[in-house]
Amino acid sequence: MMKNGKTLDVFQKESSNIDIKEMMDYYNISIKIENNETNFYMDNEKISEEDMQSKEASIAVSTVGGKAQNENLFIFARNLIEDLKTKNNVILAGRSLMQIYPNLDYHLFITADLEERVRRKCIQYNEIDIKNEIRENIIKRDKLQEDAGFYKLSPSTIVIDVTNCKSAQESTKLVLEKINLLETV
């Protein structure tokens, strides 16, 4: 939506009136599973991972997500998840999973301390020189997400701290170890 002229100011003013699923339909946004990965398209053009994970997108999602009309989006997501589950084992990642799909087999909340998250974002954005700006954006996003209820944990939530993991592979290994422990119980 930002590529089509919507600014963060517009999002902030209109966010409580935005029906996310309606906007997806309006902008012809689709979701496709390709090579076991989820890809998003707008007008049949793939939206890059860089755009999806950009600083601007991160703040916009946090700003709008907690205030927007998400009911139709959640229905769409539940149906998509049910369809995927008939064909595959499914791992979901997202901010509102307990609201979207409360019947999760496992709910893992993966976290790292603030300074480690700042370090990783600096690497991701290749922007070591704006460390303070990145820290401020993470703090702002965390506050927006907390206010929206995105960090609400259920009694069945398993918190996994990956602060000390030195790579995505090491984090993945830790998460899989936790899942394997659950499977043996």
Side-chain angles (χ1 to χ4, degrees):
M1 291 167 52
M2 290 167 44
K3 284 187 169 201
N4 280 289
K6 291 276 188 183
T7 65
L8 188 54
D9 291 340
V10 170
F11 283 132
Q12 288 172 326
K13 291 176 188 166
E14 299 178 358
S15 60
S16 63
N17 298 319
I18 294 174
D19 180 320
I20 300 296
K21 178 61 173 103
E22 187 177 288
M23 297 307 298
M24 286 175 64
D25 294 342
Y26 179 82
Y27 287 107
N28 195 25
I29 295 173
S30 60
I31 302 170
K32 297 178 184 177
I33 307 299
E34 301 166 323
N35 298 321
N36 293 322
E37 291 187 13
T38 306
N39 293 305
F40 294 84
Y41 289 82
M42 184 168 57
D43 290 327
N44 295 317
E45 183 179 324
K46 186 175 177 182
I47 302 171
S48 74
E49 188 67 22
E50 291 79 23
D51 285 341
M52 296 282 285
Q53 299 296 329
S54 72
K55 294 178 280 192
E56 296 81 10
S58 180
I59 293 296
V61 166
S62 298
T63 299
V64 175
K67 298 177 186 174
Q69 302 299 320
N70 289 314
E71 185 176 328
N72 291 328
L73 174 67
F74 288 1
I75 291 168
F76 168 78
R78 274 191 291 278
N79 290 334
L80 179 63
I81 293 165
E82 284 298 328
D83 182 53
L84 290 171
K85 282 180 64 177
T86 64
K87 302 170 192 148
N88 307 289
N89 289 320
V90 180
I91 298 173
L92 305 169
R95 293 174 173 89
S96 296
L97 285 178
M98 291 302 290
Q99 291 174 289
I100 295 169
Y101 199 81
N103 297 329
L104 296 167
D105 294 327
Y106 304 107
H107 182 237
L108 309 175
F109 186 81
I110 301 170
T111 188
D113 72 27
L114 176 62
E115 290 311 309
E116 181 59 18
R117 292 166 53 219
V118 169
R119 187 187 74 76
R120 292 175 186 178
K121 282 292 182 189
C122 287
I123 292 168
Q124 177 184 349
Y125 298 146
N126 199 23
E127 296 278 357
I128 304 301
D129 57 329
I130 60 168
K131 187 175 184 177
N132 289 333
E133 179 185 339
I134 290 173
R135 180 182 295 103
E136 289 172 21
N137 282 341
I138 290 173
I139 291 169
K140 180 179 179 181
R141 187 191 69 193
D142 283 354
K143 176 73 171 123
L144 289 166
Q145 291 182 356
E146 184 176 340
D147 291 349
F150 291 151
Y151 292 155
K152 184 178 178 184
L153 305 179
S154 78
S156 62
T157 301
I158 299 157
V159 178
I160 303 173
D161 189 330
V162 296
T163 300
N164 296 320
C165 295
K166 302 301 178 209
S167 66
Q169 292 81 5
E170 195 174 322
S171 295
T172 302
K173 182 179 176 187
L174 178 62
V175 170
L176 288 173
E177 286 171 3
K178 296 287 186 181
I179 291 171
N180 286 332
L181 285 174
L182 293 170
E183 294 287 321
T184 60
V185 172

